[in-house]
Amino acid sequence: YRESRRRKRAANVDLESCTSAWPADIVLSKIRRLLDQIPLSLCASAASRVGMNARALQFLEIDSRSQIASSAISNAKKNTASYHDSKFLKSCHIDGIDLQLTKKLLGQLCDFDTMITISQKSNPSELSSRLLEVATEREMYGDWEGALQAYEHLLDSRLRSGNIVGCSKNRAQKGLLRCLLKLGRLDSVLNQAYGMSKQDLDLKETEFSNEILPYATEAAWRLGKWSSLDSLVNEEHDESGQDAHARYQLSLGRTMHSIHCRLPEKVILGLRDARECVMSSLSSAARDSYARSYPYLMKLHLLREVEYISSVFFSVKDR
């Protein structure tokens, strides 16, 4: 307690003793100018990455309205009649924004009607883009079989055309593995993961890419394939680019592996890392709604049960 009080006192800087060459109003204006230069689309993407879906959707809406407004004002200067055109007031403000991200955010916020409306308004002619939209929509509705079929067709179209606009191969592969996990087809997850890794020429035969590794780890411990799990959790990889859910899958996999190998110290470390991943997502989800927080609360409940079972398991073994 005393140490925390000391740190708080050290952190409280005496503002009166600080001297600056710029007045406070000029400093604030420069900060506002710097923030105004950050694109709203980048702000929306960053907010989505940390789980602040409502804030991300707000950024996208402001970005779209600002583009529509600037276009209308420029047209008004050329022709005053176009500014009062009723078509502008009835138009759908979805031009110039990331529609895939918008529909993903709407689905996570359970606004399915708006998500369907945007899909109908956008109406992409590209087959691959349409397949990606179908897969995203069916995932939001929990139709994992339909989403799986869409991802399979998406990967087939990639192999035929060699070019997909607005998506990546990794995104389609991750979606395919995610659907297989939800459907409980764990053997297929491992088989698909091995096949996808062999397509990467930079990896060895037994290595997985960073995007595929979390899904293979979860499938391995759920199947009880401890030899495969041993090679997965001991494989060196960079987790800096992984999202919170992927790090949670890896930490839980290490925990299960440590329980199987009877390593109580590593079990504690794995549970701690998994809890940190869940709490980082829970803090963001709680800002939106309780419904979004519930899955993370279930993960914390799962980790508590694993902790209790592991303590009982190790105490019985010591006897």
Side-chain angles (χ1 to χ4, degrees), residues 15-248:
L15 297 178
E16 295 181 357
S17 61
C18 297
T19 58
S20 175
W22 292 342
D25 55 346
I26 296 180
V27 173
L28 292 176
S29 65
K30 289 184 178 293
I31 293 175
R32 292 193 194 97
R33 196 179 308 164
L34 175 63
L35 294 176
D36 290 340
Q37 292 178 357
I38 302 177
L40 292 173
S41 58
L42 183 60
C43 295
S45 178
S48 175
R49 289 290 296 273
V50 298
M52 301 176 66
N53 296 322
R55 181 66 61 86
L57 188 62
Q58 183 181 19
F59 281 128
L60 289 174
E61 182 180 357
I62 296 173
D63 186 21
S64 178
R65 290 182 180 276
S66 61
Q67 294 183 33
I68 295 292
S70 61
S71 176
I73 292 174
S74 61
N75 292 333
K77 293 179 180 179
K78 299 177 182 178
N79 184 7
T80 55
S82 62
Y83 182 75
H84 301 284
D85 192 357
S86 60
K87 292 182 179 179
F88 167 71
L89 299 177
K90 298 178 181 179
S91 61
C92 184
H93 298 179
I94 60 174
D95 295 332
I97 62 174
D98 189 348
L99 297 181
Q100 296 294 340
L101 178 59
T102 303
K103 285 181 286 188
K104 176 184 176 182
L105 295 172
L106 290 169
Q108 291 178 343
L109 294 172
C110 299
D111 192 353
F112 299 115
D113 292 336
T114 308
M115 183 179 70
I116 294 174
T117 302
I118 289 180
S119 299
Q120 294 172 348
K121 293 290 184 181
S122 58
N123 192 20
S125 58
E126 191 74 25
L127 174 61
S128 57
S129 299
R130 182 55 189 162
L131 286 173
L132 185 60
E133 287 191 0
V134 170
T136 304
E137 291 175 12
R138 292 184 179 178
E139 273 195 76
M140 296 302 175
Y141 281 111
D143 182 9
W144 300 107
E145 190 69 46
L148 176 64
Q149 295 178 3
Y151 281 123
E152 288 176 342
H153 289 309
L154 182 61
L155 290 172
D156 289 342
S157 65
R158 172 180 292 276
L159 294 175
R160 291 195 302 267
S161 61
N163 183 25
I164 289 183
V165 179
C167 72
S168 64
K169 183 177 181 180
N170 289 336
R171 182 175 178 181
Q173 289 178 340
K174 288 166 63 176
L176 180 69
L177 296 177
R178 184 167 55 249
C179 293
L180 290 173
L181 278 177
K182 291 291 185 179
L183 293 171
R185 302 175 187 177
L186 305 179
D187 286 313
S188 298
V189 173
L190 286 178
N191 293 333
Q192 290 284 349
Y194 279 116
M196 294 172 183
S197 299
K198 288 182 180 180
Q199 297 177 5
D200 194 340
L201 300 178
D202 296 332
L203 297 176
K204 297 179 181 179
E205 185 176 355
T206 58
E207 288 183 344
F208 290 89
S209 64
N210 290 338
E211 292 79 8
I212 297 174
L213 184 62
Y215 302 98
T217 302
E218 180 176 346
W221 75 256
R222 288 174 62 181
L223 285 170
K225 294 189 175 182
W226 306 112
S227 58
S228 300
L229 183 61
D230 181 72
S231 61
L232 290 170
V233 298
N234 292 323
E235 184 176 315
E236 295 183 0
H237 57 278
D238 183 17
E239 296 185 15
S240 59
Q242 301 279 15
D243 58 13
H245 180 64
R247 295 195 304 271
Y248 165 79

